[in-house]
Amino acid sequence: MPRIARTFIKTGLFYFLCALLLGLSIEFPVIHFPAMQPLFWHLLMLGWISQIIFGVSMWMFPGRTREEGFIAQKWAWITYFLLNSGLILRVIAEPMTSYSSQQVWKILLITSAVLQVIAVASYIIELWPRIQSKKQRRKNRRNKTKK
Amino acid sequence: MPAPSRWMIRCSLIYLLTGFLIGALMLISKVQPTFAWVWALLPIHIEILIFGWIIQFTMGTAYWIFPRFLEDKSRGNITLANNMVMILNSGIIINILTYLHFFSYRFTILGRSLEVLAVILFVILHWKRAVSYRG
């Protein structure tokens, strides 16, 4: 399994635990802060499920480069960093916008939204050309060996 | 990768981007009330990301990756698989159009029924492929 897939999957497992702990804490009125419900659902669906799908698809889909490193797998790593920085920014900024009217939290929340959309665009750039039939795959391999 | 899987995965990626764009606007609207209208799209955000992205991507990948039949190396009836793709996406689109008030709210019954039908076809196609050929 390539490093990028391992990183996605381990981060996903971490979010899975965080999401369930947050879900558990919702049951205790003593522990309360704004936006707990949307954060719970997004940690679960984006932090865990989507992240696992991203990691496994980058590993299993045909046409991946065997070379490790940021340059060789730039779109995958960009996806990872933007998705997770966007999600972490959201976890911090969304409750803070309810506590404070400072501009910085608003800017951070907007930044988190933009980062997550760019992350998904990078994931599509990485994966779209790898959705290939067997015929296309063979053709691509032949072209590569010719080069 | 077979054609039904390629179609399902490509559609799911389009839904993923669309769902994230709507979600991003909803997040921004929390601090920019000018975008408050986007909250009307919440059911579409959920429909697109649950059925269009997660479920469709998983179904498309499963159709590709499950063991093929030993006798003819096929993945089963290809017409059934193509119908599964079309029926699932018709269900999702009908639900989206209903949430956008193009149809009466009762049309979600049709949309959900089509999604159920697609899942029935998925079960039929994969039941016998959930096997091990090792002893």
Side-chain angles (χ1 to χ4, degrees):
Chain A
M1 194 189 288
R3 190 182 300 143
I4 182 71
R6 293 197 308 267
T7 315
F8 263 114
I9 291 167
K10 284 180 179 167
T11 314
L13 289 170
F14 172 73
Y15 280 121
F16 190 21
L17 188 63
C18 291
L20 290 194
L21 285 173
L22 182 63
L24 180 65
S25 64
I26 290 171
E27 302 302 320
F28 298 95
V30 184
I31 312 163
H32 181 77
F33 56 87
M36 279 175 104
Q37 282 287 354
L39 286 180
F40 163 68
W41 284 111
H42 285 87
L43 283 177
L44 196 67
M45 304 309 286
L46 177 59
W48 158 236
I49 296 178
S50 295
Q51 190 136 229
I52 290 283
I53 293 176
F54 284 12
V56 174
S57 60
M58 281 172 188
W59 165 38
M60 295 196 79
F61 273 47
R64 86 177 150 90
T65 170
R66 304 266 158 188
E67 202 182 322
E68 290 281 13
F70 180 80
I71 303 292
Q73 301 170 343
K74 62 177 180 297
W75 292 114
W77 282 108
I78 288 172
T79 306
Y80 177 79
F81 287 120
L82 296 188
L83 185 79
N84 286 288
S85 48
L87 197 54
I88 291 166
L89 271 186
R90 179 184 181 162
V91 170
I92 300 166
E94 196 173 0
M96 286 310 292
T97 52
S98 301
Y99 287 126
S100 158
S101 56
Q102 276 186 325
Q103 201 66 19
V104 62
W105 300 118
K106 293 179 181 176
I107 294 168
L108 285 181
L109 196 64
I110 294 171
T111 311
S112 92
V114 174
L115 289 178
Q116 290 176 70
V117 171
I118 302 173
V120 163
S122 323
Y123 172 65
I124 294 172
I125 293 171
E126 163 69 27
L127 211 70
W128 196 275
R130 291 170 59 184
I131 306 168
Q132 302 166 347
S133 66
K134 222 173 200 176
K135 223 181 201 177
Q136 289 168 310
R137 218 167 125 192
R138 277 194 203 127
K139 201 177 163 189
N140 287 350
R141 256 192 223 149
R142 244 181 276 140
N143 289 344
K144 259 188 192 171
T145 46
K146 269 183 196 171
K147 281 176 189 171
Chain B
M1 197 184 286
S5 294
R6 296 203 302 277
W7 280 108
M8 289 187 105
I9 292 166
R10 280 184 189 137
C11 287
S12 74
L13 292 180
I14 294 167
Y15 283 126
L16 173 67
L17 188 62
T18 316
F20 262 63
L21 281 170
I22 297 171
L25 285 177
M26 288 198 298
L27 202 54
I28 293 169
S29 80
K30 290 192 173 185
V31 289
Q32 279 291 334
T34 40
F35 287 106
W37 56 268
V38 86
W39 280 93
L41 302 180
L42 179 63
I44 297 174
H45 172 68
I46 296 169
E47 176 79 23
I48 283 179
L49 287 174
I50 302 283
F51 287 91
W53 156 236
I54 294 175
I55 293 178
Q56 179 149 228
F57 191 96
T58 317
M59 286 166 75
T61 307
Y63 182 76
W64 164 44
I65 235 156
F66 267 43
R68 280 181 281 177
F69 292 114
L70 272 182
E71 315 86 64
D72 55 357
K73 295 273 176 207
S74 79
R75 290 179 172 88
N77 188 332
I78 186 75
T79 315
L80 217 58
N82 286 332
N83 286 335
M84 171 184 73
V85 180
M86 281 189 289
I87 291 168
L88 178 72
N89 284 288
S90 309
I92 295 169
I93 289 166
I94 285 173
N95 280 344
I96 293 171
L97 292 176
T98 308
Y99 295 137
L100 287 172
H101 305 293
F102 280 95
F103 304 132
S104 139
Y105 73 99
R106 285 187 162 271
F107 267 72
T108 50
I109 297 172
L110 174 65
R112 283 278 177 265
S113 306
L114 289 174
E115 287 167 357
V116 170
L117 183 59
V119 170
I120 291 170
L121 293 182
F122 179 78
V123 173
I124 292 170
L125 280 163
H126 291 81
W127 193 266
K128 286 185 178 169
R129 289 176 62 194
V131 288
S132 166
Y133 292 134
R134 289 186 188 173

